[in-house]
Amino acid sequence: MKKFRWCVVGAGGIADRRAIPAIMKEENFALAAIMDRTPAVAERLGEKYGVKAYTDEETMLKETPCDGVYIATPVALHYPQATAALKYGCNVLVEKPLGMNRRECDRLVAAFRRENKLLDAGYMMKYHNLHIKAKNLLRGGKIGQVNTVRFFFSCWYPEIEGAWRQQRALGGGGSVMDLGAHCIELAEYLLGEEIAETKSFLANRTFSYETEDTGVFLFRTKSGVIGSAEASFNVPDGCESRLEIYGTEGCVVCRGTLGQEEKGSLSYLRAPSAGYDAMQNRFKPKAKKYYGAGGDLYLKQFRDFAARAARGKNDLLSAERAAQVQGVIDGIYAEKR
Ligand SMILES: NC(=O)c1ccc[n+]([C@@H]2O[C@H](COP(=O)([O-])OP(=O)(O)OC[C@H]3O[C@@H](n4cnc5c(N)ncnc54)[C@H](O)[C@@H]3O)[C@@H](O)[C@H]2O)c1
């Protein structure tokens, strides 16, 4: 079987920590080449993974035939680099967020559609077994009518000289762009519908960089589900994420499932109401608990991408959703600027 050949653009944190190791795990994949603008990074990663390393994407793409390009650079580079890869006829998986704003994302989707190439964004949390479980519970009506959703997702991200996420021109935004984007994408995936409206608070509560270190936003979906998301750069690592979904007949509560690993737990409570009881003698149903399967979310994402690329059917639904996520983020930032 012919191997799916990957080129990597941007060999920094996520590429070295998760993405390239995932590519190396799959026997039907081959890492063809890597590129990073920083010569020392390119050289080190080239040696580490035993592939040719470049410091310029055009040269790499010209010299290296490949089936897919994975882009993991600062957000401001996603649009020009995905456009460059398309010029060489490549399918492209761009790390999240897909672009700096909805306009860039829509232009990418349109360009890939014209060339009949696959484009997607690295929202890998939808491959988490517990998020799939949550989606199936919701889809099966197991918590009745879904009414509210709540996300808490944080990390510790202090001032770092030159850090691109702390500069609006390079990262597009702070904790909302970085962590909130996952919440929005996951909310739309789980609920199977778009967010139509938001209201937000953004703050630099702890750090003094240009982008926000705290973002809290409310949202309402087209059908009327109301939700909230808290995305923070100023909470110590180790404070567990939360994803809670409440309906008329029960709830789904995920702890520690938002992140780079398929871990954490999901507790599902089904408790259809027996009517209003003024004495409040309520029966206490027991929640069922499920656990993260410990798989590799990035490997699942790469496998899915390669399979879809092989089918060759102008499959841009997921990229369109990533563009829609960007539209929601544009709305949150537009409120504040
Ligand atoms: N899905 C996830 O789990 C996840 C996690 C972290 C980051 N990300 C995303 O991945 C992307 C990269 O984030 P990161 O944390 O790895 O950042 P990083 O700063 O650790 O790495 C970025 C790399 O890009 C390189 N670079 C800068 N300019 C370049 C250019 N013009 N061409 C090529 N390389 C260039 C830098 O030298 C650096 O090695 C971002 O879009 C981020 O949002 C996704």
Side-chain angles (χ1 to χ4, degrees):
M1 185 180 166
K2 190 177 156 284
K3 293 193 180 202
F4 191 96
R5 289 168 55 87
W6 289 97
C7 277
V8 172
V9 174
I14 196 63
D16 188 23
R17 205 166 57 240
R18 304 279 180 197
I20 302 177
I23 291 172
M24 304 299 278
K25 270 187 208 167
E26 168 59 62
E27 60 174 21
N28 295 318
F29 290 165
L31 182 64
I34 60 161
M35 175 265 159
D36 197 283
R37 178 197 57 172
T38 312
V41 174
E43 197 180 323
R44 185 172 60 79
L45 277 266
E47 261 173 42
K48 180 172 174 183
Y49 295 107
V51 288
K52 186 151 183 196
Y54 295 81
T55 50
D56 166 61
E57 71 261 21
E58 291 274 345
T59 315
M60 174 177 75
L61 294 166
K62 214 180 283 173
E63 290 183 3
T64 321
C66 70
D67 304 293
V69 174
Y70 168 71
I71 297 176
T73 50
V75 185
L77 298 165
H78 292 182
Y79 177 79
Q81 290 176 329
T83 305
L86 180 63
K87 209 172 71 188
Y88 289 92
C90 302
N91 301 297
V92 179
L93 175 58
V94 184
E95 258 309 340
K96 47 60 59 177
L98 182 55
M100 291 284 274
N101 49 49
R102 172 101 205 217
R103 192 159 156 264
E104 276 192 5
C105 298
D106 284 346
R107 287 167 81 179
L108 279 181
V109 171
F112 277 73
R113 177 170 291 116
R114 272 196 304 276
E115 300 299 324
N116 194 19
K117 290 290 166 193
L118 180 60
L119 172 72
D120 206 348
Y123 288 107
M124 78 304 170
M125 291 188 204
K126 58 181 169 284
Y127 298 98
H128 194 304
N129 71 304
L130 295 180
H131 297 152
I132 293 169
K133 176 81 192 165
K135 183 165 176 74
N136 288 337
L137 288 168
L138 264 51
R139 201 161 34 193
K142 304 289 187 197
I143 63 165
Q145 179 192 55
V146 179
N147 294 323
T148 55
V149 180
R150 188 161 85 87
F151 288 88
F152 172 78
F153 191 20
S154 67
C155 68
W156 183 252
Y157 191 51
E159 287 104 344
I160 302 165
E161 178 81 39
W164 59 264
R165 281 183 185 82
Q166 299 176 4
Q167 301 169 58
R168 200 170 291 138
L170 291 178
S175 59
V176 169
M177 189 79 160
D178 197 53
L179 305 175
H182 278 294
C183 304
I184 295 166
E185 202 267 347
L186 210 47
E188 294 194 346
Y189 163 76
L190 292 170
L191 300 170
E193 59 169 331
E194 292 179 4
I195 288 172
E197 191 189 352
T198 56
K199 299 249 183 282
S200 61
F201 287 97
L202 304 180
N204 285 83
R205 175 126 180 89
T206 310
F207 303 119
S208 57
Y209 37 73
E210 189 187 5
T211 57
E212 76 282 359
D213 64 20
T214 312
V216 177
F217 52 95
L218 301 175
F219 58 85
R220 193 201 309 262
T221 67
K222 281 189 171 162
S223 80
V225 178
I226 296 171
S228 66
E230 301 165 42
S232 304
F233 276 165
N234 49 5
V235 174
D237 292 329
C239 290
E240 254 186 352
S241 70
R242 287 284 192 284
L243 160 54
E244 302 169 6
I245 310 161
Y246 298 96
T248 51
E249 295 179 16
C251 60
V252 171
V253 175
C254 294
R255 292 189 166 86
T257 60
L258 304 177
Q260 298 177 7
E261 293 175 74
E262 195 178 43
K263 59 182 191 182
S265 65
L266 177 155
S267 106
Y268 162 53
L269 186 79
R270 180 162 172 79
S273 170
Y276 181 71
D277 175 7
M279 298 307 290
Q280 304 201 340
N281 285 323
R282 294 168 180 149
F283 92 107
K284 294 215 168 48
K286 217 169 149 1
K288 284 189 183 165
K289 206 151 181 191
Y290 303 86
Y291 294 93
D296 184 328
L297 300 175
Y298 301 84
L299 178 56
K300 291 182 193 195
Q301 169 181 257
F302 284 121
R303 280 185 179 145
D304 182 43
F305 183 90
R308 285 157 61 212
R311 285 199 286 276
K313 289 195 183 134
N314 221 345
D315 167 10
L316 291 161
L317 273 178
S318 178
E320 281 168 359
R321 196 167 60 232
Q324 147 70 18
V325 169
Q326 225 47 50
V328 175
I329 293 174
D330 285 356
I332 290 170
Y333 287 139
E335 251 186 82
K336 300 296 151 202
R337 282 179 192 153

